[in-house]
Amino acid sequence: MGKVSAIIYIAVALLILFLISHSPKKHPNHSRHRRLKLRSSFSFSNPTHHEPVAFDPLVADIERRREDRQWEKQYLEHTHPELVNDHAPGHESQPEWEDFMNAEDYLNDEDKFNVTNRLVMLFPKIDADPADGFVTENELTEWHLQQAAKEVLHRSMREMEVHDKNHDGFVSFAEYEPPSWVKHDNNSFGYDMGWWKEEHFNASDANGDGLLNITEFNDFLHPSDSKNPKLLHWLCKEEVRERDTDRDGKVNFDEFFHGLFDLVRNYDEEDHNSSHPSHDSLESPARRLFSQLDKDGDRLLSEEELLPIIGKIHPSERYYAKQQADYIISQADSDKDGRLSLLEMIENPYVFYSAIFSEDEDDDDYEYHDEFR
């Protein structure tokens, strides 16, 4: 059955490629002015900033290589400035990534990186559940989620190499040092929420052995994506600590309404920015939700009672993956049937590769606006 499906895919793809190559250019926006530009999304000063994930794994791999070089350079500047000013022997002889491969020239060389061919190759990998010749929102979400998981784990492994001082494959709390942006900025979100502290570390330690393996360390750095009950409870506890202005150990309605409810509403209503509901119109749904969460009826929300909404307060990668999928379908679904055919994807290639576009005013390049963030 799998061989038959593969043959059908190849036959359809060849037919589409033939038709496209022999048809007039009908899409002025797909001009050769547009150059694929690699993103430079890494921020050493704010590593928690969320960036959309590259659609194509090959592009993602190139970006990770560049980011690794940037990270290494900035890490040395923060931890060993003397090595930056006084290069170690032989340092200059080590080639930079761009020295042996200009990645952006590679991406814009149709013989090496043909966007249409890439989409033809990737289509059957995305169209997986079920393999019916159409890509749905759910399939796109799962695809982006897989790409995000690889990216997040890659960054966590890189961080772990830094903190695993004895190179035993684990990180103890004694080995871990908070990043400089937390230590030097007491007003940062991470600092205020108690991130990077021992309680956070212990909550991430799922098996309680006092050490974090790579899975636990990944959860430590990205708690909103964790399935660890201890870590989710810790997130709830931190939210209570942050919102509890009267210091009674719980969240009352005013504390809930003037903070948490907006986060929940933002999660549930992605297009809410198109309107600006009044304070009065929001209070009623806020009270309904508060009442639903207040299981013991004491008119206060405890840590445990925040658990049902903690995933909305701290959105996971699935949330962002769904936003990317929604955006792509809204832009490329020409017949508005809620799914994408291979032809629709090929006719709208820049929707999938727009995350790495940039605008050059001199040659009228296309600028990608991050609409799904």
Side-chain angles (χ1 to χ4, degrees), residues 179-364:
S180 59
W181 66 271
V182 171
K183 291 189 292 186
H184 299 156
D185 182 7
N186 291 359
N187 295 319
S188 72
F189 175 76
Y191 188 94
D192 290 342
M193 287 293 290
W195 296 64
W196 324 113
K197 295 185 178 179
E198 191 164 9
E199 188 175 0
H200 175 197
F201 184 95
N202 292 337
S204 305
D205 181 15
N207 61 10
D209 64 355
L211 302 169
L212 301 186
N213 58 33
I214 183 57
T215 300
E216 294 168 331
F217 189 70
N218 190 43
D219 283 352
F220 173 75
L221 296 179
H222 308 279
S224 59
D225 290 294
S226 176
K227 299 296 188 292
N228 176 359
K230 289 197 301 182
L231 199 49
L232 295 177
H233 187 271
W234 173 81
L235 279 175
C236 293
K237 184 175 182 179
E238 288 300 303
E239 281 299 330
V240 171
R241 190 177 69 81
E242 173 72 9
R243 310 294 175 178
D244 180 21
T245 56
D246 61 9
R247 303 306 176 197
D248 64 353
K250 292 188 178 183
V251 175
N252 61 37
F253 177 74
D254 285 340
E255 293 163 343
F256 172 79
F257 185 54
H258 297 291
L260 294 180
F261 182 67
D262 274 345
L263 296 175
V264 174
R265 181 172 160 268
N266 289 357
Y267 184 97
D268 289 335
E269 303 173 25
E270 293 175 14
D271 61 347
H272 76 283
N273 287 327
S274 59
S275 62
H276 300 279
S278 66
H279 179 282
D280 292 339
S281 67
L282 290 176
E283 185 168 344
S284 181
R287 287 195 180 278
R288 282 198 300 272
L289 177 58
F290 186 90
S291 180
Q292 293 169 6
L293 296 171
D294 182 20
K295 297 300 183 184
D296 61 9
D298 66 350
R299 298 184 181 180
L300 298 169
L301 297 183
S302 64
E303 300 159 10
E304 291 77 11
E305 289 171 329
L306 283 181
L307 269 174
I309 59 170
I310 195 63
K312 296 180 179 182
I313 298 171
H314 294 274
S316 67
E317 287 294 341
R318 178 173 291 278
Y319 171 78
Y320 297 109
K322 183 179 182 300
Q323 284 190 315
Q324 285 185 266
D326 288 343
Y327 172 78
I328 285 175
I329 289 181
S330 73
Q331 298 297 305
D333 181 19
S334 303
D335 60 10
K336 305 304 177 186
D337 66 349
R339 57 187 184 174
L340 301 179
S341 65
L342 177 57
L343 182 58
E344 285 175 321
M345 291 177 67
I346 290 174
E347 287 182 337
N348 298 277
Y350 299 107
V351 173
F352 302 91
Y353 290 88
S354 58
I356 49 176
F357 284 166
S358 69
E359 182 176 19
D360 186 337
E361 294 178 357
D362 294 334
D363 61 7
D364 195 30

Side-chain angles (χ1 to χ4, degrees), residues 87-101:
H87 296 305
H91 175 80
E92 294 297 336
S93 64
Q94 298 177 8
E96 294 287 340
W97 167 251
E98 290 80 4
D99 289 342
F100 58 87
M101 181 178 184

